[in-house]
Amino acid sequence: MDYFSGDFLDKNLIQFTCLEIIERELHEVACLWNCHRIRPSRNAVSPSGRPLMMYTLPRLFGTTDYLKTEPPEPIYSTIASTLKALLEDSSLTFQKNSWFGDDLCPAAWDYIFSLDLLCAQLGWTWTFTNIIRNEIWLILDTLLLQTRSEQTPYRDVSEAAVFRLLGRLGQLGLKENQTVSVRNLLKGIHTFLNQKLSKDMPWEVQLAMVYATHDLAPCNPKDTLKTLESWRQKIRQPVPPAVTKCLKQIGFLCHQNY
């Protein structure tokens, strides 16, 4: 009589013949456990309720959701490498445009659209926390502390592209009705604009910030209009037609909200 010896052949035969049965049994046990009701206990620490509901909606049971979802590694790596390429690509340039004044070249917009599309797959909350706060804001802090006479690690066109990127990403938050975090982003851009103007900010970067501010204006049109009108009073050169159009649109939003 042959016995089960646990060798390679025996294990593979068991997997081939019984794996589906084992998986089905484990699935049934998991479903029964997750859907059964845990009765209240005198022990105050012991939870009560159905495990599936407690896991899915922890706030209904007086606790906090501590689950942290990590993005798929390929997407995160692609975002990080694309952002790095945007900052380091020496071929990026500004282009004269009759409507926008000084616009980014098509290659820079390709970077921006790619990052916008990738971040949209992960949602606004993840993008705001991991990309804007942990990546882009550090870049802006570096730029804010430096004067024009100092050596900057980023070119003006890359700096302008970052602001146009923020405008695109912020629209993702507006679509998801995350107005509070978008408003914080807009406030940060306003602060950067006001502080950097005193350090001779390049005109092309100023325009990029204005257009990014316009993209985020729906979350706070009143303060946005006030900031841009103050900026317009400080500059000495004529603004392109697109800026005038942006101011009119923001003014219309203020009138609607009023």
Side-chain angles (χ1 to χ4, degrees):
M1 183 176 180
D2 295 331
Y3 294 94
F4 178 79
S5 62
D7 60 9
F8 177 80
L9 180 60
D10 285 344
K11 290 180 180 179
N12 279 271
L13 288 173
I14 291 295
Q15 289 180 350
F16 179 77
T17 57
C18 302
L19 188 58
E20 184 177 352
I21 299 174
I22 296 173
E23 287 182 348
R24 185 168 60 249
E25 292 288 336
L26 290 175
H27 180 70
E28 290 178 359
V29 171
C31 288
L32 287 173
W33 171 259
N34 290 334
C35 296
H36 91 290
R37 184 174 180 273
I38 301 176
R39 293 181 296 177
S41 172
R42 294 181 180 179
N43 183 2
V45 181
S46 178
S48 61
R50 301 186 187 278
L52 182 62
M53 293 296 295
M54 290 190 289
Y55 176 82
T56 308
L57 301 171
R59 291 179 178 82
L60 296 180
F61 299 87
T63 186
T64 304
D65 187 0
Y66 294 100
L67 180 65
K68 293 185 178 180
T69 57
E70 292 294 332
E73 184 62 28
I75 297 182
Y76 177 75
S77 300
T78 303
I79 292 175
S81 60
T82 304
L83 180 59
K84 182 180 180 181
L86 171 63
L87 296 171
E88 298 179 354
D89 192 339
S90 59
S91 66
L92 302 182
T93 60
F94 290 109
Q95 289 187 348
K96 290 294 182 181
N97 186 286
S98 59
W99 179 253
F100 292 103
D102 292 276
D103 197 10
L104 301 173
C105 64
W109 279 113
D110 286 341
Y111 283 121
I112 293 172
F113 291 144
S114 298
L115 288 167
D116 184 27
L117 182 61
L118 289 168
C119 289
Q121 304 301 312
L122 301 174
W124 167 250
T125 301
W126 183 91
T127 299
F128 182 73
T129 302
N130 295 276
I131 300 301
I132 296 178
R133 277 185 175 177
N134 296 344
E135 300 287 345
I136 298 179
W137 226 245
L138 295 178
I139 298 171
L140 298 183
D141 285 342
T142 301
L143 295 171
L144 187 61
L145 295 175
Q146 291 178 326
T147 62
R148 294 294 296 167
S149 60
E150 295 176 333
Q151 182 66 30
T152 175
Y154 308 113
R155 300 166 61 226
D156 292 342
V157 64
S158 298
E159 185 177 349
V162 166
F163 284 110
R164 297 308 301 267
L165 173 63
L166 287 175
R168 297 284 305 186
L169 296 180
Q171 290 183 14
L172 175 62
L174 293 175
K175 292 177 182 178
E176 297 182 10
N177 294 320
Q178 301 291 333
T179 55
V180 175
S181 53
V182 177
R183 191 174 298 173
N184 291 334
L185 172 61
L186 181 60
K187 184 178 179 180
I189 295 177
H190 289 172
T191 302
F192 190 94
L193 176 62
N194 292 329
Q195 294 185 14
K196 196 69 174 178
L197 271 178
S198 60
K199 299 182 180 181
D200 191 22
M201 180 190 297
W203 175 245
E204 298 87 351
V205 179
Q206 292 185 47
L207 290 178
M209 294 185 67
V210 169
Y211 296 136
T213 300
H214 168 262
D215 291 338
L216 307 178
C219 71
N220 193 355
K222 183 178 179 180
D223 287 350
T224 300
L225 184 61
K226 182 179 179 180
T227 299
L228 293 185
E229 286 180 341
S230 175
W231 164 80
R232 192 172 184 180
Q233 293 174 359
K234 295 177 182 178
I235 61 176
R236 299 180 180 178
Q237 51 187 310
V239 297
V243 172
T244 304
K245 183 69 173 179
C246 289
L247 292 173
K248 290 182 179 180
Q249 290 177 342
I250 299 173
F252 180 73
L253 287 176
C254 293
H255 179 72
Q256 278 189 322
N257 292 341
Y258 182 79

